[in-house]
Amino acid sequence: MAALPAALVILLAACSATSTPSSDTTSLVETSATTNTPNVDGNSTTTAAAQSYAGTSPAPEFPGGLDWLNTDVPLTLAELRGKVVLLDFWTYGCINCIHIIPDLRRLEEEFAEELVVIGVHSAKFVNEGATDNIRQVILRYDLEHPVVNDRDFEVWRTWGAQAWPTTVLIDPAGNVVGGHAGEGVYDVVQPVIASLVDEFAASGGLDRSAVTFALEKDGQPERVLAFPGKVAVAAGDPRLFIADTGHNRIVVADRSTGDVLAVYGSGREGFEDGPAQTAAFASPQGLALDGDGLTLYVADTNNHAIRAVDTGTGQVRTLLGTGRQGWPPAGGTAPEVDLASPWDVLVEDTTLYIAMAGHHQIWSMDLSSGTAGPLVGSAREGVLNGALHQAELAQPSGLALADGLLYFADSESSSIRYADVAAPVGETGLVAGGAANLFEFGDVDGAGEEARFQHPLGVAVWDGSLIVADTYNSRLRLIDPITQQVTTFLGGEQGWQDGEAPRFYEPGGLAVDGDTMYVADTNNHVVRIVDLPSGSTTTLVLKGIEAFTPPPEDADYRGTIVTIPPIEIGPGSAAIVIDVTLPTGYEINDEAPSSATFAVVGDAIALPDEGAVDLTGVTFPRRIPIDVSAGSAGLTADLTLVYCRADATALCFIEQVRFDVAVSAVATGGSEIVLGHDVVLPDLDG
């Protein structure tokens, strides 16, 4: 092998359970590290056995019997000879693993013909080991490379991995080139891949043939909401604000009727200020409405920014953040401050609190002066309590405030903690959950340290109690903050069910007004409404959101365009027949508007009702009378259909279809223009 830029050996370095930039001093040329890391069994070690496969040929093969996603067949490294292969060892709740997704995507785009990325999902949490749950995360983050479910750590142990994330490069000859633990993947790996491409292209050992995979997103329906992460309400305000995270937008609805009042963001992922319909977000999460209801603060997570929305005009502006992920954490004056994955926000008077998941801190911003910086946490990931700036947090992701105590869902430590932000010298403390290390998780009621959660993402205050979105357990839990007693309130086995014994699927956000709670039921793609005294749960039906979807001529249009072969039709009375076949067990919703609009170029077709037909609640086929005269015409029909499960009318999808057909009037022609379309759903249960 020709000389590469450096002597490359595999490094599987020890670092924190979810590697942080502060411990990310490794590179492809290092061979050891001594930072502290829990191993996969939850024990702690202070040295890394840097097990090296460098120079071997071939690299260790994948074991059989594993579940593969984003591909219809299991992969082998032998079959990928000629390609550079990058293995990404990750687990989906790890913020550092999420941070390197843009690096992986950038590498995939830059080396589209030469590189194959394979995600090796080695789960930290029990819930993360389920193939169906990994599938949901692949859809949530729009991953387009194959992922293998390494639920029993077979691949992890074969390679000697010790940290999330760890990346390993394999050259086109099947040799292990080197590895890297932590973030900053692109800058370390890109020059090595470029060198490998040049070397193997020169020797004839590079395969640039196209490789395509059957992706999990192929054939997925367009949902009304996609992975909603957080919700917000204000006392006496009829509006419900929903972080439609998977659609990169904010939805505003009347919480009594479900009527959609506004949508902030075009739905296109990006970082752009401006009017509601053109502004762009990237996986927004936490929301907070200020006291006068005029400004909505948004934790724009993947943009590493806090955005502000004028709820009167819909105008979006960047309040804090540059769009760059910052390290080390350093405060400053808005907006020129680098943030890291803000996950939730909470506003009190002129103070904005920010759960800075990527820095393992809670920040505060003085809205009157524009200054912002760390308030709680040293930026070292851990479970240590103490003085605010010395405490160690672990991916705080949800905030609630009561009586001067700022409660937070500390997701990676699976605990609920508090920070006394009102005291002159405040400290943090444990309310309930794990306190010894980052691997104390489970599903156990009890008091204080006896209780166990699994990656909670949300917390809210109600009637002197705390309610927790115990996300990976798909439960809602109650905590008495005085006795620290934890009890299960609602939920259990993941799924969807309304009523007195509801089921949820990885709920992520909570908002309470009076005795009513709104739940962002993330993997069910809906918002649930809980009557808190009784626990009775319903699902909010959103109505009218289709009015905010991009039209067919827009580049962001998500619908299907169907071109029908030319049709000959006889002059006189005729009909357009809309013949849509819905999946078994689904029907057109009789509340949310569905419609067809028609446009004609030419004089051969006369349409009724100014070219618009209401399809709300209809069954198909639907006949629409028309008059045909001599000549020809081009007919365009735009359908927007809201269809739902017949046994669960709140679980709905949107189907958008545009039909284009050229029509000629001839004496021997038929009497119908049939617009046929089959709505096909994939196996949504995996």
Side-chain angles (χ1 to χ4, degrees):
M1 176 185 280
L4 293 173
L8 300 174
V9 294
I10 181 87
L11 169 66
L12 298 168
C15 54
S16 63
T18 50
S19 304
T20 64
S22 60
S23 62
D24 181 23
T25 57
T26 61
S27 73
L28 283 166
V29 300
E30 294 178 306
T31 59
S32 65
T34 57
T35 48
N36 189 20
T37 178
N39 66 19
V40 297
D41 300 314
N43 301 317
S44 181
T45 179
T46 56
T47 60
Q51 185 176 9
S52 175
Y53 286 98
T56 64
S57 181
E61 193 55 86
F62 294 109
L66 302 180
D67 291 344
W68 285 81
L69 297 153
N70 263 357
T71 172
D72 52 1
V73 294
L75 301 182
T76 67
L77 294 176
E79 294 170 335
L80 294 172
R81 292 290 176 85
K83 300 289 187 184
V84 179
V85 177
L86 177 65
L87 302 184
D88 170 32
F89 289 86
W90 67 300
T91 185
Y92 73 72
C94 155
I95 193 68
N96 308 92
C97 301
I98 296 170
H99 282 167
I100 74 165
I101 290 174
D103 281 3
L104 299 178
R105 189 169 289 132
R106 185 178 175 188
L107 291 168
E108 289 174 296
E109 293 172 354
E110 188 171 339
F111 300 101
E113 297 178 335
E114 301 90 1
L115 175 68
V116 173
V117 174
I118 298 176
V120 182
H121 191 276
S122 306
K124 170 185 174 179
F125 293 99
V126 173
N127 192 70
E128 292 175 335
T131 297
D132 286 347
N133 296 342
I134 300 169
R135 178 178 290 109
Q136 295 302 314
V137 168
I138 287 171
L139 293 170
R140 189 184 311 182
Y141 293 117
D142 195 25
L143 303 184
E144 296 189 344
H145 54 254
V147 174
V148 59
N149 183 2
D150 184 32
R151 63 162 58 90
D152 295 321
F153 289 87
E154 294 179 75
V155 183
W156 176 280
R157 289 191 173 96
T158 296
W159 288 87
Q162 296 183 30
W164 297 285
T166 291
T167 47
V168 181
L169 269 180
I170 302 166
D171 72 19
N175 298 315
V176 177
V177 175
H180 171 74
E183 298 186 29
V185 170
Y186 180 87
D187 290 340
V188 172
V189 169
Q190 191 277 345
V192 183
I193 296 177
S195 179
L196 290 171
V197 167
D198 290 344
E199 176 191 348
F200 281 86
S203 66
L206 188 67
D207 178 6
R208 282 195 164 104
S209 60
V211 178
T212 58
F213 301 105
L215 302 180
E216 301 299 323
K217 68 180 180 181
D218 293 344
Q220 286 286 320
E222 180 63 22
R223 295 173 169 87
V224 176
L225 299 175
F227 300 103
K230 299 286 186 181
V231 285
V233 294
D237 193 316
R239 297 171 296 177
L240 170 68
F241 297 87
I242 306 166
D244 190 7
T245 308
H247 285 147
N248 302 299
R249 64 186 183 181
I250 312 300
V251 174
V252 188
D254 184 307
R255 46 181 163 135
S256 297
T257 66
D259 293 327
V260 175
L261 307 174
V263 172
Y264 308 136
S266 65
R268 178 186 66 258
E269 182 177 10
F271 189 27
E272 183 177 342
D273 289 342
Q277 65 271 24
T278 60
F281 298 88
S283 296
Q285 288 281 346
L287 307 171
L289 191 65
D290 70 358
D292 60 12
L294 297 179
T295 303
L296 180 73
Y297 300 101
V298 180
D300 195 8
T301 304
N302 284 4
N303 277 328
H304 310 291
I306 305 298
R307 315 291 289 282
V309 183
D310 184 320
T311 62
T313 65
Q315 192 77 14
V316 178
R317 64 186 174 92
T318 298
L319 180 69
L320 182 67
T322 62
R324 299 184 299 268
Q325 180 191 338
W327 189 264
T333 302
E336 296 300 316
V337 181
D338 292 338
L339 312 182
S341 297
W343 209 274
D344 201 9
V345 286
L346 185 154
V347 64
E348 184 190 37
D349 298 327
T350 60
T351 299
L352 183 71
Y353 297 100
I354 305 166
M356 200 72 69
H359 282 154
H360 309 295
Q361 293 177 315
I362 296 170
W363 282 36
S364 65
M365 178 179 180
D366 185 329
L367 295 171
S368 59
S369 68
T371 58
L375 175 68
V376 184
S378 65
R380 177 178 174 83
E381 185 177 25
V383 298
L384 177 68
N385 283 311
L388 295 186
H389 287 289
Q390 297 173 357
E392 296 175 1
L393 313 187
Q395 206 170 310
S397 302
L399 300 173
L401 186 66
D403 301 323
L405 297 181
L406 184 63
Y407 296 98
F408 57 98
D410 205 41
S411 61
E412 278 296 291
S413 68
S414 293
S415 65
I416 304 302
R417 300 166 69 180
Y418 70 85
D420 188 348
V421 295
V425 182
E427 294 189 344
T428 66
L430 177 72
V431 181
N437 58 57
L438 301 179
F439 286 78
E440 288 191 319
F441 58 84
D443 186 3
V444 180
D445 288 344
E449 294 184 28
E450 298 173 357
R452 291 290 179 268
F453 305 93
Q454 192 179 182
H455 200 84
L457 288 177
V459 60
V461 177
W462 172 64
D463 195 27
S465 296
L466 300 178
I467 305 178
V468 177
D470 191 4
T471 305
Y472 286 1
N473 284 325
S474 293
R475 294 186 187 273
L476 303 181
R477 316 285 288 280
L478 278 174
I479 306 177
D480 182 326
I482 304 300
T483 66
Q484 300 183 323
Q485 184 67 39
V486 177
T487 56
T488 296
F489 178 38
L490 296 172
E493 180 183 356
Q494 69 185 32
W496 178 88
Q497 180 174 294
D498 278 342
E500 303 299 324
R503 294 165 63 191
F504 305 87
Y505 192 178
E506 292 197 8
L510 309 173
V512 174
D513 182 20
D515 286 337
T516 303
M517 180 169 69
Y518 300 87
V519 181
D521 196 5
T522 303
N523 282 6
N524 276 328
H525 310 286
V526 294
V527 173
R528 316 292 291 280
I529 306 174
V530 180
D531 176 71
L532 289 169
S534 68
S536 180
T537 300
T538 58
T539 300
L540 180 68
V541 178
L542 291 174
K543 306 168 189 175
I545 200 168
E546 65 282 349
F548 297 91
T549 57
E553 61 271 13
D554 193 287
D556 295 319
Y557 179 66
R558 298 187 180 97
T560 301
I561 298 178
V562 178
T563 301
I564 296 176
I567 292 177
E568 294 182 342
I569 191 167
S573 297
I576 297 172
V577 179
I578 301 176
D579 191 10
V580 174
T581 301
L582 297 175
T584 302
Y586 287 80
E587 60 188 17
I588 299 296
N589 189 283
D590 60 4
E591 294 185 71
S594 294
S595 63
T597 57
F598 302 94
V600 175
V601 177
D603 299 326
I605 297 175
L607 296 168
D609 301 324
E610 299 180 350
V613 176
D614 183 14
L615 299 178
T616 304
V618 305
T619 57
F620 295 106
R622 172 72 186 275
R623 294 177 58 84
I624 300 160
I626 59 172
D627 291 322
V628 179
S629 56
S632 61
L635 174 67
T636 297
D638 290 323
L639 270 62
T640 298
L641 306 175
V642 181
Y643 65 102
C644 312
R645 274 175 43 180
D647 62 343
T649 56
L651 299 183
C652 301
F653 305 103
I654 297 176
E655 185 82 354
Q656 289 183 289
V657 188
R658 163 168 280 195
F659 296 96
D660 286 311
V661 58
V663 179
S664 299
V666 297
T668 58
S671 61
E672 294 181 341
I673 301 171
V674 178
L675 307 179
H677 178 65
D678 291 339
V679 178
V680 179
L681 281 177
D683 181 3
L684 298 178
D685 296 323

